[in-house]
């Protein structure tokens, strides 16, 4: 499992002993809301609903995607619209959300005093570089395309780049980027030969991914007509081209992306290349509100074709191309390296040193972060518990019933209609976004009827369904690890569990001195796992009994919902921990250079030595299945829940 996402929240104390931030400065900062989905491999993805500062809107809206007149596009537009209202109403709605204590996050391991800081004021304040299974950190540092000994028909010739006039290229670019009202562009074939027409066809498709071409006769003249591929045709199987035998079947490349999650990025790339998303593979999903760098593999698409996307896509860059004979697999990575900026910090130099030394030497409690549990008054773990209990009426009710909290207006209307009529068709009419879980469940109920909720629920994508039961596992684990630390502190004790290879064993009385807290693991409840031989083992049983579940029989009659157990370290000690405190005046300027900045030769802005604000720049590496949010929590000693942050910050949200 892997998690690299981070809440876009401001971790800030309103009345610090070290002084309150300048009122004009803090007005710029807004709170964002986040919901999380988990796939069946434990990979996590994130959807962020921003309430951005107007001065920072330029950061979030400049990616380009094909304009398909489809339900999917309509859903995306609606999901991107801002219906959350003003900050005060948002804060008021979030009073019904979760706090850390609601999901078992209650302990710290360090003794230093906490301080305030603003996390992710800009998405560029949070940078993630993937660490491959060989320990190599992925960087975008090379745009060159590898040269083959053999020529591939798919690779455009030199003539491709000169056959179109500058005027043709401008018209085609405007068509591609939907900057005009035309639905097609006609290019007259002056030298009407089959060879010439072929070169023009290739030029348009190579230089302007997402466009299709056809030949037409008009008034006795031949024209190449360029137009947008639409609907399912755009996602048809790629044309069959000769592929050199000496070339690996997969093109591996480094994807640099800004403010877009991994699956959204894959969907954009697939649409522009006119291929299906499932020919892409990757080792882990990465956060949306961040700059992330990771390796991607794609089946039988040339590096040259991929490199052309750099000319027409914003917020993405592709590079470091190579051909290999294998795809990538989820989970095959060592972790991620983070570069994080906490702006407008209030801590003294001594407080910061103590906090960062503790993070490096002791680490942090390996809690599942708040994004695992949703943001509304109905936590995802409650739905997961109902699934495990085989209580399908409860599952349906929890997903569809009205709930207080921050939600889109159309969801509120849908829930109200459901509560009033229990009519799936009527509720669905109130819901323009059909791809959300609520819409999928309602369509399932329409198809299978109210007496077959199991089949109706099965319409929801498998990854989303499993997210609920993984959330329940996480809820149990968080509560149990808090009890374990409260009961026994930061030392290994007899009866604890440790891993010997992939097998968990109990630490015996005479062997306890050979272990530290960093060796101790706790089980995620499921079949074929063992539990600690002390009070915490009994606490697991008590918690599941209270939830009407049998800890000794976690197999569900529906195979997908059988909980397979696993083990998770109690304490994570980050690697490669470094930090620096810098001064700055302008919150809009970057405080470090990215891979793309370095490639483009952009210098780091000169920072004042006596700026009115201070920032903590930190770097650290984490293994898969750990939450960077929890590392930041340990440094700042702050509740990372959106509910807490909005309540703390209602004065400066206005």
């Amino acid at each position: 499992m892997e998690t690299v996402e981070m809440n876009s929240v401001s971790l800030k104390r309103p009345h610090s002993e070290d002084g309150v931030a300048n009122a004009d400065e803090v007005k710029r900062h807004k709170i964002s809301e986040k919901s999380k989905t988990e796939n069946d491999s434990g990979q996590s993805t994130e959807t962020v609903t921003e309430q951005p500062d107007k001065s920072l809107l330029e950061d979030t809206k400049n990616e380009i995607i094909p304009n398909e007149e489809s339900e999917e596009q309509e859903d995306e537009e609606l999901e991107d619209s801002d219906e959350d209202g003003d900050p005060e109403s948002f804060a008021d709605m979030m009073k019904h959300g979760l706090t850390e204590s609601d999901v078992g996050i209650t302990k710290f391991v360090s003794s230093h005093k906490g301080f305030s800081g603003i996390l992710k004021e800009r998405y560029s304040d949070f940078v993630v570089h993937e660490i491959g299974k060989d320990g190599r950190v992925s960087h975008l540092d090379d745009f060159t395309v590898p040269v083959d000994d053999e020529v591939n028909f798919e690779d455009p010739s030199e003539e491709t780049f000169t056959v179109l006039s500058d005027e043709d290229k401008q018209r085609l670019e405007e068509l591609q980027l939907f900057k005009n009202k035309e639905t097609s562009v006609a290019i007259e074939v002056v030298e009407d030969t089959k060879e010439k027409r072929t070169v023009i066809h290739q030029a348009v498709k190579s230089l302007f991914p997402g466009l299709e071409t056809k030949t037409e006769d008009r008034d006795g003249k031949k024209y190449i007509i360029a137009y947008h591929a639409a609907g399912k045709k755009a996602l048809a199987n790629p044309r069959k081209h000769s592929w050199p035998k000496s070339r690996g079947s997969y093109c591996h490349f480094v994807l640099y992306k800004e403010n877009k999650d991994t699956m959204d990025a894959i969907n954009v790339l697939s649409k522009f290349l006119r291929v299906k998303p499932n020919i892409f593979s990757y080792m882990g999903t990465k956060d949306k509100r961040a700059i992330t760098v990771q390796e991607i593999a794609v089946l039988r698409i040339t590096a040259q074709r991929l490199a052309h996307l750099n000319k027409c896509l914003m917020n993405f860059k592709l590079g470091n191309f190579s051909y290999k004979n294998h795809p990538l697999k989820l989970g095959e990575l060592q972790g991620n390296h983070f570069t994080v900026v906490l702006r407008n910090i209030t801590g003294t130099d001594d407080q910061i040193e103590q906090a960062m030394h503790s993070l490096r030497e002791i680490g942090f409690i390996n809690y599942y972060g708040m994004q695992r549990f949703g943001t509304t008054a109905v936590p995802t773990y409650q739905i997961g518990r109902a699934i495990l209990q085989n209580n399908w009426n409860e599952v349906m009710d929890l997903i569809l019933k009205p709930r207080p909290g921050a939600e889109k207006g159309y969801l509120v209307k849908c829930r109200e209609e459901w509560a009033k009529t229990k009519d799936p068709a009527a509720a669905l009419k109130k819901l323009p976004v059909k791809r959300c879980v609520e819409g999928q469940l309602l369509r399932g109920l329409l198809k299978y009827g109210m007496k077959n909720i199991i089949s109706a629920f099965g319409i929801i994508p498998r990854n989303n369904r499993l997210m609920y039961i993984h959330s329940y596992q996480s809820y149990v684990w968080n509560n149990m690890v808090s009890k374990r630390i409260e009961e026994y502190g930061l030392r290994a004790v007899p009866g604890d569990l440790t891993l010997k290879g992939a097998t968990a064993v109990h630490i015996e009385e005479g062997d306890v001195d050979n272990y530290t807290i960093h060796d101790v693991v706790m089980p995620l409840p499921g079949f074929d796992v063992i539990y600690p031989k002390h009070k915490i083992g009994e606490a697991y049983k008590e918690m599941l009994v209270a939830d009407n579940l049998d800890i000794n029989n976690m197999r569900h009659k529906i195979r997908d919902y059988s909980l397979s157990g696993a083990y998770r370290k109690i304490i994570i000690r980050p690697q490669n921990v470094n930090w620096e405190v810098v001064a700055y005046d302008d919150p809009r300027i970057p405080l470090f250079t990215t891979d793309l900045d370095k490639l483009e030769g952009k210098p780091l802005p000169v920072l004042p030595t006596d700026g009115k604000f201070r920032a903590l720049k930190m770097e650290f590496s984490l293994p898969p299945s750990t939450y960077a949010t929890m590392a930041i929590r340990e440094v700042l000693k702050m509740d990372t829940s959106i509910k807490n942050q909005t309540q703390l910050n209602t004065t400066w949200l206005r």
Side-chain angles (χ1 to χ4, degrees), residues 108-134:
F108 294 97
V109 298
S110 54
S111 58
H112 71 272
K113 180 183 176 183
F115 56 92
S116 297
I118 300 175
L119 173 62
K120 285 193 176 182
E121 180 172 19
R122 296 173 63 85
Y123 67 73
S124 54
D125 286 345
F126 182 50
V127 179
V128 186
H129 288 88
E130 189 172 69
I131 305 173
K133 59 182 178 181
D134 58 358

Side-chain angles (χ1 to χ4, degrees), residues 76-302:
E76 288 172 354
E77 290 173 351
L78 283 161
E79 287 171 352
D80 288 341
S81 63
D82 181 9
E83 297 188 23
D84 293 325
D86 60 65
E88 292 155 295
S89 63
F90 177 78
D92 186 61
M93 286 189 293
M94 285 314 301
K95 291 177 182 177
H96 304 284
L98 298 172
T99 64
E100 287 184 345
S101 61
D102 292 329
V103 294
I105 303 173
T106 59
K107 304 296 180 182
F108 294 97
V109 298
S110 54
S111 58
H112 71 272
K113 180 183 176 183
F115 56 92
S116 297
I118 300 175
L119 173 62
K120 285 193 176 182
E121 180 172 19
R122 296 173 63 85
Y123 67 73
S124 54
D125 286 345
F126 182 50
V127 179
V128 186
H129 288 88
E130 189 172 69
I131 305 173
K133 59 182 178 181
D134 58 358
R136 181 180 56 84
V137 179
S138 292
H139 282 280
L140 181 76
D141 53 22
D142 185 4
F143 284 141
T144 60
V145 173
V147 178
D148 283 330
D149 294 332
E150 302 180 53
V151 177
N152 179 21
F153 175 77
E154 194 176 13
D155 292 339
S157 64
E158 286 301 315
E159 190 179 0
T160 296
F161 300 93
T162 59
V163 70
L164 298 172
S165 68
D166 290 340
E167 182 184 354
D168 288 337
K169 289 178 181 178
Q170 182 176 348
R171 293 167 61 212
L172 288 165
E173 181 178 4
E174 290 174 350
L175 176 67
Q176 182 192 42
L177 304 183
F178 303 99
K179 291 184 177 180
N180 57 21
K181 296 181 180 179
E182 295 182 40
T183 58
S184 64
V185 166
I187 301 169
E188 183 180 353
V189 185
V190 179
E191 303 171 24
D192 183 18
T193 65
K194 184 177 181 181
E195 290 74 21
K196 190 70 172 181
R197 293 198 302 271
T198 298
V199 172
I200 296 175
H201 283 295
Q202 289 180 341
V204 173
K205 294 172 185 176
S206 297
L207 300 179
F208 302 95
L211 297 184
E212 282 285 3
T213 58
K214 61 184 177 181
T215 304
E216 284 187 3
D217 284 309
R218 294 183 179 179
D219 300 324
K221 296 180 181 179
K222 283 280 199 306
Y223 288 86
I224 304 297
I225 309 300
Y227 61 96
H228 273 285
K232 295 181 179 179
K233 291 181 181 178
L235 301 178
N237 287 324
R239 295 176 182 81
K240 293 182 179 179
H241 294 287
S242 59
W243 189 268
K245 293 181 181 178
S246 61
R247 177 194 287 170
S249 294
Y250 294 88
C251 185
H252 288 232
F253 62 94
V254 168
L255 173 65
Y256 170 103
K257 63 180 181 63
E258 300 179 354
N259 206 39
K260 202 81 173 173
D261 69 35
T262 301
M263 274 312 303
D264 284 343
I266 295 297
N267 288 334
V268 170
L269 296 179
S270 65
K271 288 176 183 178
F272 271 80
L273 293 166
R274 305 185 301 278
V275 299
K276 292 183 179 180
N278 61 8
I279 71 170
F280 291 87
S281 59
Y282 47 89
M283 294 183 287
T285 56
K286 299 292 181 281
D287 193 15
K288 174 182 177 178
R289 188 160 174 79
I291 292 174
T292 69
V293 183
Q294 69 184 116
E295 188 174 350
I296 305 287
V298 60
L299 176 65
R300 295 203 170 194
I301 299 292
T302 65

Side-chain angles (χ1 to χ4, degrees), residues 344-442:
N344 205 11
I345 56 171
T346 62
T348 66
D349 289 344
D350 284 344
Q351 286 175 324
I352 293 165
E353 287 295 306
Q354 289 177 30
M356 295 307 298
H357 275 288
S358 176
L359 182 67
R360 184 168 62 187
E361 302 303 322
I362 301 175
F364 61 96
I365 303 172
N366 194 20
Y367 286 123
Y368 287 97
M370 293 301 297
Q371 52 269 57
R372 187 89 167 190
F373 306 102
T375 57
T376 70
V378 178
T380 51
Y381 75 80
Q382 290 185 3
I383 299 170
R385 179 169 55 201
I387 294 170
L388 294 171
Q389 293 170 341
N390 210 32
N391 187 344
W392 293 100
N393 283 314
E394 176 81 355
V395 171
M396 178 178 66
D397 186 50
L398 287 171
I399 292 175
L400 296 177
K401 72 179 182 179
R403 79 270 305 267
E407 285 202 303
K408 299 288 187 182
Y410 52 77
L411 269 176
V412 173
K413 293 174 183 175
C414 171
R415 297 187 193 286
E416 289 173 349
E417 182 67 31
W418 173 257
K420 183 171 64 176
T421 66
K422 289 295 189 290
D423 181 348
L428 201 57
K429 286 180 181 178
K430 303 287 186 180
L431 195 61
V433 177
K434 303 296 192 294
R435 289 185 302 137
C436 61
V437 168
E438 292 82 1
Q440 290 160 339
L441 178 56
L442 288 169

